[in-house]
Amino acid sequence: NNGYYLNMTSDATPRRLTRAESRERTRRQLLEAAADIFARRGYAAASVEEIAESAGFSVGAVYSNFANKDELFAALMTDRAVNHMDEVADIFDSAEALSQDPLQGLGRMLIAIADKDLHVAVLKTEFWLHAVRNPELMRIEADASARTLTAVREILTGVLDRNDVDQSVVSVDDFATVTLALFGGLIRQRRTDPSRVSDDMFGQAIRWLIAGMPKNSDRRQ
């Protein structure tokens, strides 16, 4: 945490991080430490002090970046969700370049998440139980999910465009909410019984939804 990049500039002189870069670097290190501590200790048992110590910072560094443990946890969950959305965007970009069906890739991604991110699922459930009893935590949960919805919305707008869906009738915001709910529900079903959810089930379900949507071509006829 000495404020320098590990990489050298072209003249082999370490470049001092700007204030914003240093803050972002600290924030990333805190989130990485939080992910490890939350996974090992659980949301309720994890402490800000333990997270700070694991990251190599003072408790003050945590509170200069996050108001409290709740906000730190919400930021971590949002960060993971946005990373997944980046993966989704990459799937769509790659599929479009190769003229393939991106929904097949999404199905495989769903299976991968369901099969490997079990500790994240436990943490999210634990946090949700706290949030149900605490309006302030639910506000944090709502803010975090809103950012995920924004990322999904951008991707699904392209899906609707490619499928000629009449977006004056179909709300992309509603479609994003339904898609996230479907994704989360299928992940839970997969974890309950893997045989229930095949690799292509999510993609097929989205196709069923799109098939029932009014098309621009229908309006022109």
Side-chain angles (χ1 to χ4, degrees):
N1 302 321
N2 57 9
Y4 287 92
Y5 276 129
L6 294 179
N7 293 331
M8 297 292 189
T9 57
S10 58
D11 60 358
T13 302
R15 180 174 71 82
R16 180 177 291 277
L17 296 171
T18 66
R19 190 169 186 174
E21 289 170 340
S22 180
R23 182 180 178 85
E24 178 59 23
R25 184 185 184 190
T26 298
R27 185 177 184 278
R28 300 304 315 170
Q29 290 174 326
L30 288 170
L31 286 173
E32 290 171 8
D36 177 62
I37 299 299
F38 280 132
R40 289 192 289 108
R41 302 273 290 157
Y43 172 77
S47 69
V48 170
E49 291 77 12
E50 189 174 9
I51 292 169
E53 181 180 358
S54 177
F57 294 104
S58 66
V59 173
V62 178
Y63 287 120
S64 68
N65 285 273
F66 307 98
N68 48 43
K69 184 175 77 169
D70 302 332
E71 188 176 288
L72 171 57
F73 181 84
L76 175 62
M77 292 296 101
T78 300
D79 185 69
R80 293 293 176 89
V82 170
N83 284 341
H84 286 319
M85 290 308 103
D86 289 342
E87 292 177 44
V88 170
D90 289 341
I91 287 172
F92 273 88
D93 290 342
S94 298
E96 188 170 324
L98 298 173
S99 299
Q100 296 176 345
D101 183 359
L103 296 179
Q104 292 181 349
L106 284 181
R108 290 191 295 271
M109 178 179 166
L110 181 147
I111 297 300
I113 292 173
D115 292 350
K116 74 177 183 180
D117 285 352
L118 294 177
H119 67 279
V120 174
V122 172
L123 286 174
K124 292 184 72 172
T125 299
E126 188 179 358
F127 186 80
W128 172 260
L129 291 174
H130 284 280
V132 167
R133 303 180 179 91
N134 187 325
E136 181 61 21
L137 292 188
M138 188 57 75
R139 181 193 63 76
I140 293 174
E141 172 73 9
D143 289 345
S145 62
R147 288 190 285 272
T148 303
L149 277 171
T150 297
V152 173
R153 186 186 188 283
E154 294 177 3
I155 294 168
L156 293 183
T157 296
V159 173
L160 296 181
D161 288 340
R162 283 189 290 272
N163 285 275
D164 193 38
V165 172
D166 184 353
Q167 294 179 50
S168 69
V169 178
V170 176
S171 165
V172 67
D173 292 320
D174 290 348
F175 185 36
T177 299
V178 170
T179 299
L180 278 183
L182 178 63
F183 196 81
L186 286 177
I187 284 177
R188 176 167 291 188
Q189 289 297 315
R190 169 78 181 186
R191 287 169 175 155
T192 301
D193 182 353
S195 67
R196 293 180 187 175
V197 181
S198 64
D199 288 5
D200 62 351
M201 184 178 288
F202 177 72
Q204 184 59 61
I206 295 296
R207 292 187 197 95
W208 289 333
L209 289 174
I210 293 174
M213 295 176 179
K215 306 298 191 291
N216 290 312
S217 56
D218 296 334
R219 188 174 57 181
R220 291 191 292 267
Q221 292 176 358

